Amino acid sequence: MNYRHAYHAGNHADVLKHAVLARVVHYLAQKDKAFAVLDAHAGLGVYDLQAIEAAKTGEWQGGIGLMQAPFAAGVEEVLVPYRRALGRLNPDGGMRFYPGSPEIILGELRAGDRLLANELHTQDFETLKLNYAGEKRLLALLSDAGQAVKAQLPFRERRGLVLIDPPYEGRDETQLVARMLAQGAERFPTGLFIIWYPVTTEEFVIQFTGAIKALGIGNISRAELRVKNTHAASGLSGSGLLILNPPFNLHGELEILLPALAGRLGVENLGRSQLSWLTPPKG
Ligand SMILES: C[S@@+](CC[C@H](N)C(=O)[O-])C[C@H]1O[C@@H](n2cnc3c(N)ncnc32)[C@H](O)[C@@H]1O
């Protein structure tokens, strides 16, 4: 495992993922009943954008670094839970610390909700545990994401979310993610699942989305944000989210959010977004 999220925290892909994640957890917290979240690839929880790793790539400058100025009111409304997480870590303004997915999720949990934060990298797991020592709602798990999905689902609350956010280092990652979703959805058919994927080449995106579609699971929304042209030499030109069982209002909100992010984060006016159903919605 070579991937360390500290080099990439706050980049354009994190902005998309975390803005949507915050919104989805916010929706879950609107109903009285308790829920749980399994963050299957949790990372550290908090990242210092002035640390050597972040400074080395400077990726955050093309992501969260461009988000300071407010958007139109409708977009800002969708961004409220995300901005709340950013503000909590940077109470004096500015953008020194960036929230990872556990921090984003915790920000929306109530006293009776739970976060299972799973991380396989031993050192990152220790940092995660340390960052949230004393946080009773968070249970840190050191295991493979696929094992965590099998062991933790269905949640005893019968309500909740699973975030699948692997580094896509290995050639078999598509198959691993497809299997995780199939096993997760079988154990917890009413659960919400968010899967992040990188846009590196068109071939990868077609192959990846095709593999998920082939599972035959309905009600998967697809949201994609590209910040530059996609070709083999362009690196990470964008990213996407597949959302199984999205909250009712989310699609409408993404119609507002995605073009705004494409306009703001796109390099030389090359930003584009796409919103569709990978598999047909319910009803
Ligand atoms: C993209 S990062 C996660 C970022 C985090 N979800 C966030 O949004 O802040 C992927 C993480 O998965 C971890 N990881 C890699 N392979 C894993 C596996 N098989 N099971 C669990 N975690 C894994 C990596 O160490 C890394 O911290």
Side-chain angles (χ1 to χ4, degrees):
M1 282 204 308
N2 294 320
Y3 183 91
R4 316 305 302 276
H5 198 64
Y7 290 92
H8 311 288
N11 68 5
H12 58 82
D14 261 9
V15 171
L16 171 69
K17 172 179 59 185
H18 294 150
V20 174
L21 174 67
R23 198 70 196 160
V24 167
V25 184
H26 175 73
Y27 271 122
L28 279 167
Q30 298 311 298
K31 277 196 188 166
D32 280 348
K33 210 169 167 301
F35 64 93
V37 181
L38 170 60
D39 190 346
H41 307 80
L44 307 181
V46 179
Y47 299 89
D48 183 352
L49 297 178
Q50 286 178 18
I52 293 167
E53 293 90 337
K56 195 162 179 184
T57 65
E59 283 185 25
W60 69 272
Q61 287 165 358
I64 195 61
L66 300 173
M67 293 287 287
Q68 293 288 68
F71 290 87
V75 181
E76 283 300 325
E77 212 176 301
V78 180
L79 287 173
V80 165
Y82 181 46
R83 293 245 192 246
R84 203 162 34 227
L86 294 163
R88 222 176 23 250
L89 288 186
N90 301 282
D92 303 328
M95 189 45 63
R96 165 91 195 255
F97 296 103
Y98 185 79
S101 48
E103 180 71 25
I104 299 265
I105 294 161
L106 271 177
E108 298 302 313
L109 295 194
R110 302 154 304 180
D113 303 323
R114 293 189 297 145
L115 169 57
L116 306 162
N118 182 73
E119 171 58 51
L120 186 60
H121 193 288
T122 318
Q123 204 180 325
D124 287 0
F125 166 78
E126 292 300 337
T127 309
L128 172 73
K129 229 170 56 166
L130 207 67
N131 281 343
Y132 295 101
E135 171 51 77
K136 291 196 168 50
R137 298 167 301 173
L138 183 146
L139 178 65
L141 305 169
L142 173 65
S143 70
D144 172 65
Q147 293 303 321
V149 164
K150 283 198 274 183
Q152 302 299 331
L153 297 182
F155 300 135
R156 59 173 183 258
E157 294 86 349
R158 302 276 157 179
R159 286 188 76 219
L161 164 72
V162 180
L163 174 64
I164 298 175
D165 184 20
Y168 293 89
E169 282 179 320
R171 293 175 70 83
D172 59 347
E173 199 80 78
T174 297
Q175 290 318 317
L176 292 176
V177 169
R179 194 189 316 151
M180 243 181 278
L181 182 64
Q183 293 179 335
E186 193 184 352
R187 286 173 160 74
F188 188 29
T190 56
L192 252 151
F193 289 75
I194 299 180
I195 299 174
W196 181 88
Y197 65 90
V199 174
T200 43
T201 61
E202 294 301 346
E203 291 71 25
F204 174 78
V205 173
I206 291 167
Q207 174 243 331
F208 181 78
T209 53
I212 301 296
K213 198 171 176 172
L215 296 175
I217 300 170
N219 206 23
I220 302 180
S221 176
R222 174 181 177 185
E224 215 171 88
L225 172 68
R226 299 185 186 212
V227 299
K228 53 187 176 179
N229 287 335
T230 299
H231 50 81
S234 69
L236 186 70
S237 62
S239 65
L241 298 171
L242 300 180
I243 309 163
L244 170 61
N245 298 328
F248 181 69
N249 290 333
L250 188 70
H251 217 75
E253 293 189 344
L254 293 180
E255 275 172 359
I256 298 170
L257 177 67
L258 294 179
L261 291 182
R264 179 68 67 87
L265 304 182
V267 179
E268 293 168 356
N269 287 327
L270 289 172
R272 277 168 296 152
S273 65
Q274 181 197 320
L275 180 65
S276 57
W277 289 98
L278 184 72
T279 60
K282 275 187 190 144

